[in-house]
Amino acid sequence: MPEPTTVPQPDNAADAVSGTGASGPAAVPPAAGPSVPGLSTPRPAGLLVTLILGGLTALGPLSMDMYLPSLPQISETLHSPVATVQLTLTACLLGMALGQLVAGPMSDRWGRRRPLLTGLVVYVLATAGCALAPTAEILIGVRLLQGLAGAAGIVIARAVVRDLYSGLEMARFFSTLMLISGTAPILAPAFGGQVMHFADWRGIFAVLALIGVVLVVLVARWLHETLPHERRHDGGIGQSLRTMRDLFADRVFSGYLLTASFGFAALFAYVAASSFVIQEIYGASPQTYSLLFGLNSVGLIAVGQINGKILVGRVRLDRALAFGLAVTVAAAAALVLMTSGAFGAVGLVPVAAGLFVLMSAMGLVMPNSSAQALMRTPHAAGSASALLGTSQFLVGAVASALVGLAGEHTAVPMAAVQLACGAVAVLSFVALVRPWRRHDADGNAPEAAAPACAGRNG
């Protein structure tokens, strides 16, 4: 499809964002041109607001990673096969995917706070239902509801970032969020393992419900509205669908969306299978598994910080993204060879090393692909964030289901799915984004949006 003519847009900022202490990355000064009514002088998110946004983006990893060490126990206590128990992860992923399609456009129409608070309250109730589920089938159902509600925090947090920042500052802020939200995968499995010392898997969901309550209080008290009335939609579902259609018509946006989605899927193939691969196939204890999972998350965070603090502004975002994709594919290919026996019997250490490299590369893939996609949509941040998140979680849900098809006694499906997802991400980046053809004088992709989207949302 032809690439739409792009027009540079003025920067956005919040009209009222509170926070205390040290601030996050400095906001980009307003671009020259007409001012937007109702907006005060742009200012960056304070430390507390940055932590709240990080907590909201961490809600997904917390909901999925914290209970991973308990999957074998859930299978045993609910008398369900492993494949059925893995569907609890798939259901949560599907819920988070579909929920973003609703919460994102709602936040463009009614502002960020109301849909966010509603979603968080329902998340707390659904998580309490998970703790009380008597069968695997009911657990799958309430996990779906948990994902649907938790999606509001994920998609609206990204939209708030788009309200506050643009350009390279947005890429830097996404890397800052990765530092905060990336702590969740480090702590969640280890914390879940510790909870299992004095409670069963139901206690893990009780803790998640308590975390949801804390987020409700923090958002209600300290996260002010970032989308003024002058910039909200007046239309209903029809206009939201037309806006999403226009976003899909932007070839470059679609390229970044698919790149981010299949990169995310490679990550979630690991999330879905790692508990069984490391504990059941390679014989590691829950504590060892939690340690390895945390180590991989440290690699992801470290590379994300290198990206945000060092590379952004010095290296083209597309170039950093391309390098991350290349490393992802290389690591996945090595894992396929190791797990299939091409090198003979391979123990846990080489496989863990391959997973560490793959996860670390996500520190380049995820923030840069997301930032580049949202740079093209300054006037449809909620809808664009919804499409981005929905695509990521839908593809991730499919990947998490595929890794269990070949049974519990081989790690080949996990590695093969990761390799396939990495290859599709590379193909999407090359064929749709065509990075060698689009960069400004500074070597970065220009921030722009399709005129159709800008016209409806301006």
Side-chain angles (χ1 to χ4, degrees), residues 184-220:
I186 296 175
L187 299 180
F191 191 28
Q194 294 305 312
V195 170
M196 291 179 66
H197 281 303
F198 59 87
D200 61 4
W201 60 271
R202 299 180 189 275
I204 295 176
F205 286 107
V207 173
L208 283 172
L210 180 60
I211 292 172
V213 171
V214 172
L215 283 173
V216 169
V217 173
L218 290 175
V219 169

Side-chain angles (χ1 to χ4, degrees), residues 117-439:
L117 286 170
T118 300
L120 288 175
V121 170
V122 177
Y123 173 86
V124 171
L125 297 176
T127 306
C130 292
L132 300 174
T135 66
E137 290 73 20
I138 292 178
L139 180 60
I140 291 170
V142 287
R143 285 281 284 172
L144 177 64
L145 179 60
Q146 182 192 40
L148 286 167
I154 299 170
V155 67
I156 294 176
R158 275 198 304 264
V160 168
V161 172
R162 190 61 189 88
D163 293 339
L164 291 169
Y165 297 101
S166 60
L168 296 180
E169 290 300 328
M170 183 166 59
R172 291 191 180 100
F173 195 82
F174 273 123
S175 293
T176 299
L177 285 187
M178 181 170 289
L179 173 63
I180 301 169
S181 62
T183 304
I186 296 175
L187 299 180
F191 191 28
Q194 294 305 312
V195 170
M196 291 179 66
H197 281 303
F198 59 87
D200 61 4
W201 60 271
R202 299 180 189 275
I204 295 176
F205 286 107
V207 173
L208 283 172
L210 180 60
I211 292 172
V213 171
V214 172
L215 283 173
V216 169
V217 173
L218 290 175
V219 169
R221 175 65 181 85
W222 282 288
L223 185 63
H224 293 181
E225 183 59 63
T226 62
L227 186 68
H229 290 280
E230 293 81 2
R231 299 185 67 86
R232 298 180 189 178
H233 287 296
D234 294 326
I237 296 177
Q239 179 169 322
S240 296
L241 293 176
R242 287 192 296 271
T243 299
M244 291 184 179
R245 178 200 63 194
D246 293 335
L247 290 171
F248 274 126
D250 182 345
R251 171 178 54 78
V252 177
F253 173 83
S254 296
Y256 283 123
L257 180 144
L258 291 174
T259 300
S261 299
F262 281 93
F264 190 79
L267 186 152
F268 266 91
Y270 161 76
V271 171
S274 60
S275 178
F276 293 100
V277 167
I278 294 176
Q279 294 183 81
E280 302 297 326
I281 297 177
Y282 291 97
S285 66
Q287 288 72 30
T288 300
Y289 164 70
S290 299
L291 177 63
L292 291 175
F293 198 98
L295 184 63
N296 290 336
S297 299
V298 168
L300 185 151
I301 291 173
V303 174
Q305 291 311 293
I306 291 172
N307 178 72
K309 305 299 183 184
I310 299 176
L311 299 182
V312 171
R314 294 180 175 89
V315 178
R316 284 179 54 197
L317 298 184
D318 281 340
R319 184 170 297 173
L321 174 56
F323 181 77
L325 290 171
V327 173
T328 298
V329 171
L335 284 168
V336 168
L337 293 174
M338 286 189 288
T339 57
S340 63
F343 301 137
V346 175
L348 175 60
V349 173
V351 172
L355 290 171
F356 176 80
V357 173
L358 187 147
M359 288 288 288
S360 297
M362 291 296 149
L364 295 175
V365 174
M366 300 311 300
N368 290 325
S369 57
S370 297
Q372 291 280 60
L374 291 178
M375 280 182 193
R376 298 185 66 80
T377 59
H379 297 290
S383 296
S385 180
L387 286 179
L388 186 64
T390 296
S391 178
Q392 288 177 341
F393 279 97
L394 279 177
V395 179
V398 173
S400 68
L402 290 177
V403 297
L405 292 181
E408 310 166 30
H409 306 296
T410 175
V412 173
M414 178 190 71
V417 169
Q418 289 173 326
L419 179 58
C421 290
V424 175
V426 170
L427 180 63
S428 301
F429 182 63
V430 172
L432 296 178
V433 175
R434 302 174 189 173
W436 61 88
R437 294 178 56 183
R438 49 182 309 276
H439 56 84

